[in-house]
Each structure stands twice: as C-alpha cells, then as structure tokens.
C-alpha cells in the first residue's frame, strides 16, 4: 500500500529505453492505472487514462470506476456505452453497469441488468451471487433474501456452491 513508491517505480520503469520496456509498456501503463485507482486518486487516474492512445480493458473499467467514485454518473454512463461499442468485455461492462445503477439508486435498471446477466449465463452461479451482493449493497434486505433464495433453489445442491455464496 505504498502507492507513491509504486507509482515512482512504475514511472521510472516506463522512462527506461529498450525492447523489454517497449514490450511491457502496456502492462506497465495498466499497473499505473490500477495503483492510481487503488490509491483513490481518481482525478489523476482519469488524466492518466486520457493520455493513453488505446485504452485497455483495465483502463476502460478504471475510468468508469473513477467517474463513479467522483459521482460523475452521466460521464460514467457515456464511458460505459463507449466501452461497450468498442467491444468491451460484456461481463465487465454489465458488472460495472450494475454498480453504476446501484450508486445512482436506479434499482430498476440495476435489476434489469442483473436479470440479463443471469439469463446470459443461466448455468453459471456467479451472476446469481452477484445479484445477492448488489441487493445487499443497495441496502435492500428483502430483495437480497429473494436473490439468495433464487440462487439456493438453482445452485444450492452442492457444497462448493454453498461455500461460494457464503464467501
């Protein structure tokens, strides 16, 4: 959690010359993005991402998260739409779209996106668990209990699934 030190090392590495640095420059840029977001330096993260020529999936997601954290919801929505149009990873875009709707207190939209996620992956327990978590984070205990019941009805037959939802 020595974010300043991590950023200094990343900047020093990116300033170096050579094939190894050139080959890993994208990875280093992604790591700097992550550190800025972890350090809650959201405005700096946005500025850094804007300087990049071709944003990676990590940068797209980090940009939306930074905008949400700064309560710039309309900008986050526009960026999500741009990311999706740029063929962003469907699961990541949907997951962040749920978070944006929850943060805006647009629970109807949050639930529609959660439903779409479950319908897209009916045999995968993760979207079902994500629904439980998001309802809980939205401080909707009845809806969270209903989401948990739906998960248990569909996936509760194995110890592994029960342990996963418990975590």
């Amino acid at each position: 959690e020595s974010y300043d030190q991590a950023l200094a090392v990343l900047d020093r590495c990116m300033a170096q010359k050579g094939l190894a640095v050139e080959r890993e420059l994208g990875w280093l840029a992604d790591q700097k993005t992550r550190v800025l977001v972890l350090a809650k330096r959201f405005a700096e993260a946005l500025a850094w991402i804007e300087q990049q020529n071709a944003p990676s999936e990590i940068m797209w997601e980090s940009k939306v998260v930074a905008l949400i954290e700064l309560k710039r919801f309309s900008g986050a929505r526009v960026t999500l739409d741009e990311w999706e149009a740029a063929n962003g990873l469907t699961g990541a875009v949907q997951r962040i779209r749920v978070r944006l709707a929850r943060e805006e207190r647009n629970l109807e939209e949050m639930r529609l996106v959660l439903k779409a996620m479950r319908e897209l992956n009916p045999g995968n327990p993760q979207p079902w668990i994500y629904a439980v978590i998001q309802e809980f984070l939205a401080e909707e205990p009845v809806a969270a209990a209903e989401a948990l019941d739906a998960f248990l009805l569909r996936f509760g037959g194995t110890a592994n699934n029960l342990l996963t939802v418990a975590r």
Side-chain angles (χ1 to χ4, degrees):
E1 294 183 6
S2 299
Y3 301 121
D4 289 336
Q5 188 174 24
L7 289 168
V9 169
L10 286 163
D11 287 339
R12 197 167 47 245
C13 289
M14 288 187 284
Q16 299 298 311
K17 303 291 182 217
L19 291 175
V21 173
E22 289 174 25
R23 186 175 54 246
E24 300 300 333
L25 205 51
W27 182 85
L28 290 165
D30 281 345
Q31 300 319 302
K32 181 171 180 171
T33 303
R34 287 180 190 208
V35 172
L36 287 168
V37 170
L38 286 170
K40 299 186 183 318
R41 291 162 65 171
F42 303 115
E44 286 180 63
L46 290 173
W48 168 250
I49 293 166
E50 289 302 319
Q51 293 174 16
Q52 307 311 304
N53 292 330
S56 66
E57 290 293 314
I58 289 167
M59 289 182 189
W60 277 111
E61 183 171 347
S62 296
K63 182 176 180 179
V64 177
V65 167
L67 289 166
I68 290 171
E69 290 291 336
L70 294 169
K71 307 288 188 226
R72 293 168 49 188
F73 299 130
S74 61
R77 186 168 302 287
V78 167
T79 302
L80 264 174
D81 292 342
E82 291 171 352
W83 182 16
E84 189 169 39
N87 295 317
L89 296 174
T90 301
V93 171
Q94 285 182 315
R95 186 173 37 81
I96 301 298
R97 197 172 295 283
V98 167
R99 178 177 176 192
L100 173 59
R102 177 179 48 79
E103 298 267 350
E104 289 180 302
R105 293 299 299 164
N106 186 344
L107 299 183
E108 182 178 337
E109 180 183 347
M110 179 186 86
R111 290 176 181 138
L112 284 173
V113 179
L114 286 167
K115 180 181 180 197
M117 290 173 71
R118 291 188 304 265
E119 288 174 352
L120 190 61
N121 299 293
N124 181 348
Q126 293 305 317
W128 298 79
I129 294 169
Y130 194 60
V132 175
I133 293 165
Q134 292 305 307
E135 293 289 1
F136 175 77
L137 291 173
E139 298 178 352
E140 295 287 324
V142 172
E146 289 170 356
L148 179 59
D149 286 346
F151 169 83
L152 292 172
L153 183 62
R154 184 175 277 276
F155 298 103
T158 69
N160 189 40
N161 285 339
L162 291 172
L163 288 172
T164 302
V165 77
R167 282 189 212 117

